[in-house]
């Protein structure tokens, strides 16, 4: 036991001798909602080093971990997990390889998003940009991962004897053509490493994003999803989104934005869309994108050099079958109207290393919910100090 | 392409009324590792803390007397990113973060320039840099100075 620790200490000392930057982010996040009070305190130490040093450096090492202390449902819990932990290599101009625990997100932002272990490669290929990734979720702390796809995943999440996230692997390839309008195509295959009852899925997505000279930017994406579950018939699903944002002229850096997002439910030849990560679609009411239609509009404004504000509203509709699961939904209701929410936030950043965010929101349940379902609300503060 | 880019950097810097000669810029661009006196020469004049035609050695001495360069630095010493950041932050009288305000020095100066994206690409505080990279960093700082800093 002493030898690995000694080796680690010597390695870190060697890195520091070469020159490394290190620090920590200290976070405090109290929250009050209709579910009660909760608070989370976190310390995320990190170390970044360029072992080669010098002007022509082409390798970077980044290590970080998160220590968290949380209070929720009248109970305290303590957690420790490595976070981003990777090495970046730049073997040639325009090419980079990242190996280790890293952040991954698909081009459309509707399939997978979060930390994974593995490797990824980005390379310029003429006027195109090629990205390849081979990633695995099963070594992540389950509380730090949002990979949830099946009943087995949910059972393991609830099982206190299971520490790790679901054993799911991703193979991803992405081709994009950067320009004033950037076009992209992604092909992603997800494999369940569990032998029995495995749920595998594949995705083919395409889209574009661009901006025009008058501060208008836009995005359009479509995802085809294919799910194979052992003992079930092969299913096909669809998801799409479009968004527009506009920066009004003037010295203030305001932004007006709107988006539409759709994910199929059970309808005709379509099955409920199933992303790899549960990507929340709201701030107060946060269903995953499945059997759902979400419209969102918002406005960001800069009140002063250090203070900015945001107001956002979202409306949620579900499909008849295969929509989001929620304990407050009325099983006898066939209404598609899930409700709407309004969320406002104030961000105060008086210094570059201190960021304070206060957000509050209200969700008004629609006719799809039980009549007794109360309004949902939250008020949350987040203070982050970078040391 | 590199020449075009450097020409743009040069134009940007020129637009802030630098009075360095083309020869000096050429000499700086050919520096594989930036020296303390070259950094002081360009930073102090860009920040209007010295005459545009100040000699590198005089700029170095002025920066050293102001404690903007490390005690150990000699005119020809290689300057790393952290020490260069502190020289820039001090000369331009930049505010910096909470910790920079409490303990001004190379460590938090480097962080501030990273935060402001004046330093881009792979970097660590102990990394030395070329004259070309230094000019790009200084160009971004001058650009920021024209904004809200």
């Amino acid at each position: 036991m002493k030898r690995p620790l000694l080796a680690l200490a010597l390695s870190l000392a060697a890195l520091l001798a070469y020159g490394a930057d290190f620090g920590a982010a200290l976070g405090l996040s109290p929250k009050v909602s209709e579910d009660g009070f909760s608070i989370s305190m976190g310390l995320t130490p990190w170390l970044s080093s360029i072992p080669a040093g010098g002007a022509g450096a082409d390798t970077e090492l980044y290590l970080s971990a998160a220590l968290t202390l949380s209070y929720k449902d009248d109970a305290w819990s303590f957690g420790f997990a490595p976070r981003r932990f990777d090495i970046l290599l730049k073997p040639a101009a325009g090419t980079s390889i990242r190996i280790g625990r890293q952040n991954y997100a698909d081009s459309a932002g509707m399939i997978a998003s979060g930390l994974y272990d593995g490797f990824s490669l980005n390379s310029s290929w003429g006027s195109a940009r090629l990205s390849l990734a081979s990633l695995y979720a099963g070594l992540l702390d389950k509380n730090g991962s949002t990979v949830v796809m099946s009943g087995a995943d949910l059972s393991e999440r609830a099982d206190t004897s299971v520490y790790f996230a679901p054993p799911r692997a991703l193979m991803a390839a992405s081709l994009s053509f950067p320009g004033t309008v950037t076009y992209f195509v992604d092909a992603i295959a997800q494999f369940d490493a569990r032998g029995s009852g495995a749920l595998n899925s594949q995705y083919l997505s395409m889209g574009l994003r661009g901006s025009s000279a008058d501060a208008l930017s836009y995005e359009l994406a479509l995802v085809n999803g294919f799910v194979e579950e052992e003992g079930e018939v092969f299913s096909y699903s669809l998801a799409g989104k479009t968004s527009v944002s506009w920066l009004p002229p003037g010295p203030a850096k305001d932004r007006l934005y709107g988006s539409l997002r759709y994910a199929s439910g059970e309808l005709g030849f379509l099955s409920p869309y199933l992303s790899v990560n549960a990507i929340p679609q709201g701030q107060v009411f946060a269903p995953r994108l499945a059997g759902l239609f979400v419209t969102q509009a918002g406005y960001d404004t800069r009140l002063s050099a250090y203070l900015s504000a945001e107001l956002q509203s979202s409306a949620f509709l579900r499909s008849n079958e295969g929509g989001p699961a929620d304990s407050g939904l009325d099983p006898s209701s066939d209404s598609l109207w899930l409700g709407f929410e309004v969320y406002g936030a104030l961000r105060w950043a008086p210094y570059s290393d201190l960021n304070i965010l206060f957000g509050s929101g209200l969700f008004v349940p629609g006719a799809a919910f039980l009549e007794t379902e109360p309004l949902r609300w939250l008020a949350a503060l987040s203070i982050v100090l970078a040391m | 392409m590199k020449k075009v880019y450097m020409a743009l950097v040069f134009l940007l810097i020129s637009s802030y009324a630098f009075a360095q000669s083309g020869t000096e810029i050429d000499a700086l661009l050919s520096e594989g590792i930036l020296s303390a006196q070259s950094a002081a020469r360009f930073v102090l004049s860009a920040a209007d803390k010295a005459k545009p035609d100040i000699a590198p050695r005089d700029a170095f001495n002025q920066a050293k007397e102001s404690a903007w360069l490390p005690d150990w630095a000699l005119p020809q010493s290689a300057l790393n990113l952290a020490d260069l950041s502190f020289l820039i932050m001090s000369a331009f009288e930049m505010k910096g973060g909470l910790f920079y305000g409490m303990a001004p020095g190379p460590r938090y100066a480097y962080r501030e320039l990273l935060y402001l994206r004046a330093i881009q690409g792979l970097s660590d505080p102990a990394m030395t840099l070329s004259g070309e990279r230094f000019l790009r960093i200084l160009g971004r700082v001058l650009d920021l100075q024209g904004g809200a800093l």
Side-chain angles (χ1 to χ4, degrees):
Chain A
M1 185 62 195
K2 281 181 181 175
R3 283 188 179 177
L5 283 176
L6 186 63
L8 182 66
L10 287 173
S11 304
L12 290 175
L15 287 173
L16 291 171
Y18 258 119
D21 194 14
F22 58 92
L26 185 64
L28 179 69
S29 308
K31 178 178 155 185
V32 191
S33 71
E34 78 279 357
D35 291 331
F37 174 76
S38 65
I39 188 167
S40 175
M41 288 164 274
L43 179 70
T44 307
W46 57 269
L47 183 146
S48 164
S49 176
I50 300 192
D58 54 10
T59 304
E60 183 188 34
L61 181 69
Y62 189 93
L63 313 173
S64 68
L67 290 139
T68 52
L69 179 64
S70 304
Y71 174 82
K72 190 178 182 184
D73 299 331
D74 298 325
W76 287 94
S77 62
F78 174 76
F80 169 77
R83 301 299 291 169
R84 201 186 126 200
F85 211 89
D86 63 30
I87 185 159
L88 174 71
L89 310 168
K90 294 197 168 181
T95 298
S96 64
I97 298 170
R98 197 179 288 279
I99 303 165
R101 181 160 292 180
Q102 56 195 284
N103 283 306
Y104 171 79
D106 66 287
S107 303
M110 289 191 293
I111 301 168
S113 174
L115 278 177
Y116 283 90
D117 294 306
F119 98 95
S120 60
L121 176 147
N122 285 285
S123 186
S124 295
W125 199 34
S127 61
R129 189 100 194 129
L130 176 70
S131 301
L132 300 172
S134 177
L135 303 161
Y136 183 64
L139 294 173
L140 294 163
D141 161 27
K142 69 178 180 184
N143 295 318
S145 166
T146 55
V147 174
V148 183
M149 297 190 76
S150 65
D153 294 355
L154 283 170
S155 302
E156 288 182 4
R157 185 163 276 270
D159 185 345
T160 52
S161 68
V162 177
Y163 177 79
F164 294 109
R168 297 187 178 279
L170 286 185
M171 303 290 283
S174 174
L175 190 62
S176 64
F177 299 89
T180 311
V181 179
T182 297
Y183 299 91
F184 61 83
V185 180
D186 280 20
I188 298 173
Q190 176 275 135
F191 303 99
D192 190 341
R194 282 172 287 223
S196 60
L199 185 151
N200 303 317
S201 58
Q202 299 88 43
Y203 307 86
L204 179 65
S205 75
M206 57 205 76
L208 58 89
R209 64 175 66 89
S211 57
S212 62
D214 54 353
L216 190 73
S217 58
Y218 48 88
E219 186 178 6
L220 186 67
L222 182 72
V223 182
N224 298 274
F226 308 90
V227 174
E228 306 168 77
E229 189 169 9
E230 194 178 83
E232 301 284 334
V233 291
F234 178 85
S235 65
Y236 171 69
S237 59
L238 206 57
K241 72 171 180 185
T242 180
S243 64
V244 180
S245 84
W246 178 60
L247 306 174
K253 293 175 181 172
D254 291 7
R255 184 172 72 104
L256 176 68
Y257 62 90
S259 69
L260 302 175
R261 275 163 286 166
Y262 162 79
S264 64
E266 199 77 60
L267 181 68
F269 64 93
L270 293 171
S271 296
Y273 177 72
L274 186 61
S275 56
V276 180
N277 289 81
I279 303 166
Q281 298 299 310
Q283 301 285 349
V284 186
F285 178 56
R288 67 186 295 163
L289 196 59
L292 196 68
F293 181 73
V294 187
T295 67
Q296 194 172 73
Y299 194 80
D300 290 340
T301 184
R302 195 157 185 165
L303 302 170
S304 75
Y306 308 120
L307 187 67
S308 59
E310 179 183 6
L311 189 63
Q312 181 187 92
S313 80
S314 306
F316 303 90
L317 285 164
R318 66 173 178 174
S319 67
N320 269 326
E321 304 263 343
D326 191 289
S327 59
L329 287 170
D330 182 354
S332 64
S333 171
D334 58 2
S335 173
L336 307 184
W337 176 234
L338 285 168
F340 73 95
E341 73 168 37
V342 179
Y343 177 80
L346 272 177
R347 183 186 298 276
W348 185 48
Y351 298 97
S352 56
D353 44 10
L354 177 65
N355 203 313
I356 299 171
L357 175 75
F358 174 74
S360 184
L362 177 74
F363 172 69
V364 182
F369 280 84
L370 292 162
E371 282 186 9
T372 54
E373 183 66 12
L375 297 175
R376 296 181 186 182
W377 58 274
L378 69 79
L381 184 68
S382 170
I383 303 169
V384 178
L385 181 65
M387 297 183 284
Chain B
M1 186 63 201
K2 189 175 170 184
K3 283 181 178 173
V4 172
Y5 183 75
M6 289 318 301
L8 288 173
V9 170
F10 180 66
L11 275 175
L12 174 65
I13 293 171
S14 303
S15 70
Y16 287 87
F18 258 96
Q20 285 80 5
S21 69
T23 314
E24 280 188 287
I25 296 279
D26 285 344
L28 183 64
L29 289 174
S30 66
E31 274 193 30
I33 295 180
L34 178 72
S35 67
Q37 67 174 4
S38 293
R41 156 78 181 89
F42 280 82
V43 171
L44 265 60
S45 54
D48 288 333
K49 291 292 186 294
K51 288 178 183 172
D53 57 351
I54 188 171
R57 183 62 68 99
D58 294 341
F60 172 83
N61 290 335
Q62 185 180 330
K64 197 87 184 280
E65 281 164 18
S66 304
W68 296 344
L69 284 171
D71 291 340
W72 51 262
L74 297 172
Q76 292 298 338
S77 299
L79 208 58
N80 64 33
L81 269 172
D83 291 326
L84 172 67
S85 301
F86 185 56
L87 173 66
I88 291 175
M89 292 277 294
S90 304
F92 282 94
E93 298 177 30
M94 291 163 76
K95 179 189 164 196
L98 187 63
F99 283 96
Y100 182 78
M102 289 192 291
R107 175 182 169 78
Y108 291 111
Y110 166 75
R111 292 275 190 84
E112 187 68 17
L113 293 196
L114 269 185
Y115 171 80
L116 295 171
R117 295 187 53 76
I119 297 173
Q120 296 182 11
L122 291 184
S123 66
D124 81 32
M127 178 190 269
T128 54
L129 67 162
S130 64
E132 180 189 326
R133 189 176 191 188
F134 162 66
L135 266 189
R136 275 185 268 157
I137 292 170
L138 189 58
R140 291 188 200 107
V141 170
L142 285 167
D143 201 20
L144 288 165
Q145 290 292 102
L149 280 172

